[in-house]
Amino acid sequence: MRSVILTALLLPVAMAFGAVSWGAEGEVPIIYSTDLYHPHGDPDDHFDLATLFSLGEFDIRGIVLDGGERQKKAPGKIPLEQMFHLTGRTAPYAIGLEKPLSSPEDTGEKQPAEFQKGVELILDALRKSPKKVMVVTTGSLRDVAAALNRDPELVRSKVERLYMAIGNAGGAEQFEHNVKLDPQSYVRIMQSGLPIYWCPCFDGGLWKREHGYATYWRFAQGDVLGSVKEPLKNWFVFALMRLQSDDPIAAITQPMQGDQWMQIWPTARNMWSTVALLDAAGRQIYQRPNGAFVPLSPQDATAQKLTDRKVEVYRFDPVAVTVVSNEGSKICLKIDLKPQQANMKISHVVDPRYDQIMTDCLKSLLSGVGK
């Protein structure tokens, strides 16, 4: 067993988590890392990608397609380039490292050259950004950890916040899927001292959020997708039905068969990363007079006279996280939710209507996606 105690790496909260001034459209630089595939592994990544592109605040500086070799077999670039076509927005993208890091210190530089572009994209985007960058990860932390190991000074100086949907808040052992994808990168980031906004997938066990420290939520696809524009509906049908085409762009410009849509309408979908994207964009949640919830910028809330109808659905609380054991794929943490000195923040759902509120918010966001 290798014990690792975070002491020197604990940063003063005021230094690590300073206030952020969100600006107007396109003024929040972001790097996004996703295990997006086609055919999909889990299509929550498609909903997250559509959410990313729905948020006009984001200046998307780079997208890393996590998973290396698997991206060659199930290319995430297909839904990504379709999304570029649908929205008229583009961004640099690259495939990430092929294999898990061998240790927390691994730079990944010994891996094949064809899988180096993801780390290089992260570092290049940080160098070129005129201001600090939000980083959001929805899969493993592999390429972010390797980028940190290659140029720690750059990453520390240019990352505004690192939102990561990963892990288990309700127990010592970190059994969750994204952790298992690359355990050593998880250890590296947990030890990093970066301004982490941790969005644990579960709290207390698989599919649980016992004390609210998990971002997991669930909805019926028809409840969100019923109001989206036809091109985006076609995009989801193509993805969720695992369709193939020699011309994926042309494929989503044609009407889909009605029975295809009806097959995916009632299916339940598990989600994790919506909170990270909303918070990174500076969106807050308000309840309209008709009862529906909507994520708005403070400026839009003022314009729509909803300022006094703000709802606290979640918040990010200070937390101290220590890696107490690291044995291959078995990672154990000590999590102090009432710390004297915090080294990151953790998402905390505080409204019991969370699933319905997130469903309303996602419906509102996706209804505006597409030409």
Side-chain angles (χ1 to χ4, degrees):
M1 176 181 294
R2 178 170 52 163
S3 295
V4 184
I5 306 298
L6 295 180
T7 52
L9 292 175
L10 294 178
L11 297 180
V13 173
M15 178 185 299
F17 306 106
V20 175
S21 297
W22 280 274
E25 185 168 336
E27 291 200 358
V28 180
I30 184 172
I31 296 170
Y32 182 65
S33 178
T34 172
D35 52 346
L36 175 74
Y37 301 106
H38 186 81
H40 62 76
D42 185 336
D44 67 305
D45 300 293
H46 290 76
F47 285 92
D48 289 335
L49 184 70
T51 302
L52 175 74
F53 276 79
S54 77
L55 293 163
E57 292 90 340
F58 286 143
D59 170 15
I60 307 173
R61 311 291 293 191
I63 296 174
V64 177
L65 297 173
D66 190 14
E69 184 68 29
R70 186 175 175 185
Q71 287 290 343
K72 295 172 67 177
K73 300 174 181 177
K77 72 176 185 177
I78 291 176
L80 181 57
E81 291 181 351
Q82 288 174 326
M83 184 58 64
F84 292 166
H85 175 78
L86 287 179
T87 62
R89 301 178 68 184
T90 62
Y93 69 89
I95 294 175
L97 293 169
E98 175 188 17
K99 298 177 181 178
L101 301 188
S102 61
S103 71
E105 297 78 25
D106 187 3
T107 65
E109 290 171 294
K110 294 182 179 179
Q111 296 195 29
E114 63 181 314
F115 300 116
Q116 295 294 330
K117 299 299 184 183
V119 179
E120 292 169 2
L121 176 59
I122 292 171
L123 294 173
D124 187 59
L126 292 176
R127 290 188 191 101
K128 291 180 178 178
S129 178
K131 54 186 176 181
K132 290 188 175 183
V133 178
M134 301 290 188
V135 178
V136 175
T137 69
T138 65
S140 83
L141 292 163
R142 183 177 305 158
D143 296 279
V144 174
L148 174 63
N149 287 338
R150 293 186 196 185
D151 196 337
E153 183 177 350
L154 172 67
V155 175
R156 293 183 192 284
S157 66
K158 294 300 286 287
V159 170
E160 181 72 61
R161 295 179 180 179
L162 169 54
Y163 292 86
M164 55 187 204
I166 192 170
N168 167 35
E173 186 171 349
Q174 299 297 292
F175 52 78
E176 186 269 329
H177 173 74
N178 286 344
V179 175
K180 290 181 178 180
L181 290 174
D182 198 311
Q184 297 308 305
S185 69
Y186 184 62
V187 170
R188 177 63 179 113
I189 295 301
M190 282 298 189
Q191 294 175 326
S192 68
L194 291 171
I196 294 170
Y197 280 60
W198 185 23
C199 300
C201 293
F202 302 116
D203 181 359
L206 286 172
W207 314 111
K208 294 182 180 180
R209 52 174 196 244
E210 291 182 348
H211 303 98
Y213 296 98
T215 55
Y216 166 61
W217 65 284
R218 187 175 173 87
F219 69 96
Q221 290 175 164
D223 290 345
V224 167
L225 300 181
S227 60
V228 304
K229 298 176 183 178
E230 196 71 20
L232 185 63
K233 182 185 292 187
N234 292 346
W235 183 78
F236 273 110
V237 171
F238 188 89
L240 295 170
M241 297 294 293
R242 299 170 177 261
L243 302 181
Q244 297 288 353
S245 173
D246 292 335
D247 189 345
I249 302 298
I252 62 171
T253 64
Q254 305 299 320
M256 297 293 177
Q257 298 177 20
D259 60 341
Q260 291 177 323
W261 178 242
M262 293 308 295
Q263 288 180 57
I264 66 174
W265 187 276
T267 305
R269 179 59 47 221
N270 303 314
M271 296 291 291
W272 291 271
S273 303
T274 312
V275 163
L277 290 164
L278 292 179
D279 200 70
R283 294 287 181 106
Q284 297 172 348
I285 299 174
Y286 303 83
Q287 187 172 24
R288 296 192 185 280
N290 67 1
F293 296 91
V294 59
L296 299 172
S297 67
Q299 298 92 326
D300 285 344
T302 298
Q304 297 181 34
K305 299 182 179 180
L306 292 174
T307 303
D308 62 347
R309 300 183 67 87
K310 181 180 174 182
V311 180
E312 185 182 45
V313 181
Y314 61 86
R315 60 176 184 257
F316 280 87
D317 294 340
V319 64
V321 179
T322 305
V323 179
V324 294
S325 69
N326 174 13
E327 296 180 330
S329 62
K330 186 176 181 180
I331 310 299
C332 291
L333 304 180
K334 177 182 177 182
I335 301 168
D336 184 354
L337 295 169
K338 295 183 179 180
Q340 292 186 342
Q341 187 174 25
N343 63 336
M344 63 185 71
K345 290 193 174 184
I346 187 171
S347 62
H348 187 187
V349 174
V350 294
D351 194 310
R353 301 169 295 177
Y354 176 63
D355 290 81
Q356 182 56 54
I357 293 171
M358 289 292 103
T359 300
D360 283 359
C361 288
L362 189 58
K363 179 179 179 180
S364 171
L365 290 170
L366 298 195
S367 66
V369 174
K371 301 173 183 176

